[in-house]
């Protein structure tokens, strides 16, 4: 379905981003990967689906590197058609204990990076009359949890950014939407499972059960592949008129 399209997924060396990149590649898209850690493993996983796959190591907290990333997509593939703003980090502490440099990093990576990538990608998409922007927000873009002020502020911000950009582009061929996952078992969440296990003095399995029981009535993690299938839908012709949504995939978290 996406043959001939080029997609950039930020933070695609792990977790949800890697799942989305693999699924878009399976649909025929060319992929630009980004992120830190096991780059070779991510490249191998996405290349297994065919299509051209490249990597750019931009630090998404740095606007100049984001610009180089977007320009590299346009130069190396001829266009950037699908932008998935996914890179993200977490830090848990109450406001009065929150390290200011962690606040700045979360806002830069989880929110401002999407603004910079969008402002640089949109002119080309508008010129070509087609584009899809999918922002990976969170249930924390819709509701809050204690201890996550920076993350909640950044995720509410990206939901607002999504709506504003969707309206600005409503009558062109570019759509902008957000996905709001609840718990997905990735390295970002495993850190919180580990913290819960240490705090409660329980094993990994029990810590996962407690984490889910607090928020997610299904008591199941969503998989990165399930998030990725929604991203593919938002890139499909069936979603041409879906604009500015913040679509939760959260096992009932925000229905409560
Ligand atoms: P993850 O830790 O598995 O992956 C994060 C990715 O972002 C990695 O590829 C990492 O290298 C990259 N990254 C981090 N800092 C970066 C930087 N400065 N520049 C470039 N890349 C950087 O986490 P994940 O759970 O897959 O999270 C992906 C997105 O999904 C995040 O925006 C997160 O907030 C969101 N999300 C996750 C969950 C969940 O339960 N896992 C729920 C809701 C939303």
């Amino acid at each position: 379905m996406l043959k001939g399209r080029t997609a950039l997924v930020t933070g695609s060396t792990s977790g949800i981003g890697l799942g989305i990149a693999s699924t878009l590649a399976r649909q025929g898209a060319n992929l630009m990967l980004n992120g830190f850690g096991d780059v070779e493993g991510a490249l191998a996983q996405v290349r297994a689906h065919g299509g051209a796959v490249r990597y750019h190591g931009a630090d998404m907290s740095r606007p100049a590197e984001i610009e180089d990333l977007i320009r590299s997509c346009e130069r190396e593939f001829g266009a950037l058609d699908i932008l998935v703003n996914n890179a993200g980090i977490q830090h848990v502490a109450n406001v009065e204990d929150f390290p200011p440099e962690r606040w700045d990093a979360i806002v830069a990576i989880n929110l401002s990076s999407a603004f910079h990538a969008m402002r640089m990608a949109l002119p080309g998409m508008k010129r070509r009359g087609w584009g899809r922007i999918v922002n990976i927000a969170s249930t924390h873009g819709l509701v809050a949890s204690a201890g996550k002020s920076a993350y909640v502020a950044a995720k509410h911000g990206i939901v607002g950014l999504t709506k504003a950009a969707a309206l600005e582009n409503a009558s062109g061929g570019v759509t902008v939407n957000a996905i709001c996952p609840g718990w997905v078992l990735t390295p970002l969440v495993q850190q919180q499972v580990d913290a819960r296990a240490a705090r409660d003095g329980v094993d990994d399995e029990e810590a996962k059960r407690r984490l889910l029981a607090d928020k997610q009535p299904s008591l199941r993690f969503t998989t990165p592949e399930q998030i990725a299938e929604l991203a593919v839908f938002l890139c499909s012709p069936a979603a041409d008129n879906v604009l500015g949504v913040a679509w939760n995939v959260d096992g009932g978290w925000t229905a409560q």
Side-chain angles (χ1 to χ4, degrees):
M1 185 180 70
L2 298 175
K3 203 149 187 61
R5 304 288 190 194
T6 292
L8 161 63
V9 184
T10 70
S12 44
T13 49
S14 169
I16 294 171
L18 181 54
I20 293 175
S22 298
T23 306
L24 292 176
R26 208 176 62 227
Q27 291 292 332
N30 299 321
L31 259 298
M32 178 67 88
L33 305 187
N34 160 260
F36 307 138
D38 185 10
V39 173
E40 289 309 317
L43 279 166
Q45 181 174 321
V46 179
R47 281 196 176 124
H49 297 287
V53 186
R54 307 241 168 103
Y55 168 79
H56 190 294
D59 180 336
M60 295 305 292
S61 67
R62 302 199 171 147
E65 295 186 26
I66 298 171
E67 175 156 26
D68 193 56
L69 167 62
I70 302 295
R71 299 295 165 247
S72 295
C73 287
E74 294 175 331
R75 200 173 48 244
E76 292 175 32
F77 291 109
L80 173 54
D81 304 301
I82 298 167
L83 168 63
V84 182
N85 287 304
N86 167 79
I89 58 170
Q90 175 64 284
H91 185 85
V92 181
N94 287 344
V95 171
E96 66 275 24
D97 302 320
F98 216 94
E101 62 280 6
R102 287 283 83 199
W103 172 279
D104 288 345
I106 288 175
V107 171
I109 296 165
N110 295 20
L111 175 58
S112 300
S113 74
F115 161 69
H116 292 299
M118 286 163 68
R119 76 183 169 83
M120 292 167 195
L122 273 165
M125 290 178 175
K126 288 167 90 160
R127 215 171 32 247
R128 289 184 296 275
W130 195 91
R132 292 286 182 269
I133 297 175
V134 180
N135 293 325
I136 306 304
S138 167
T139 48
H140 287 112
L142 305 170
V143 296
S145 294
K148 297 187 175 174
S149 55
Y151 190 86
V152 168
K155 294 299 188 182
H156 274 67
I158 203 167
V159 168
L161 170 64
T162 300
K163 291 177 184 175
L167 291 178
E168 290 173 16
N169 292 283
S171 61
V174 179
T175 69
V176 187
N177 291 291
I179 297 176
C180 296
W183 291 124
V184 181
L185 190 56
T186 66
L188 182 140
V189 164
Q190 186 62 47
Q191 282 175 12
Q192 296 171 66
V193 173
D194 295 344
R196 183 66 179 258
R199 193 193 82 186
D200 294 2
V202 295
D203 65 12
D204 184 73
E205 196 185 332
E206 177 60 15
K208 284 176 182 149
R209 200 197 60 74
R210 290 185 185 188
L211 212 67
L212 288 166
D214 281 350
K215 299 281 184 186
Q216 194 148 300
S218 68
L219 301 178
R220 292 189 308 277
F221 291 102
T222 306
T223 65
E225 291 68 29
Q226 288 172 322
I227 303 294
E229 292 298 341
L230 178 53
V232 167
F233 169 72
L234 291 172
C235 294
S236 75
D240 267 357
N241 211 21
V242 179
L243 297 177
V245 301
W247 195 321
N248 46 309
V249 185
D250 64 3
W253 182 323
T254 54
Q256 298 169 95

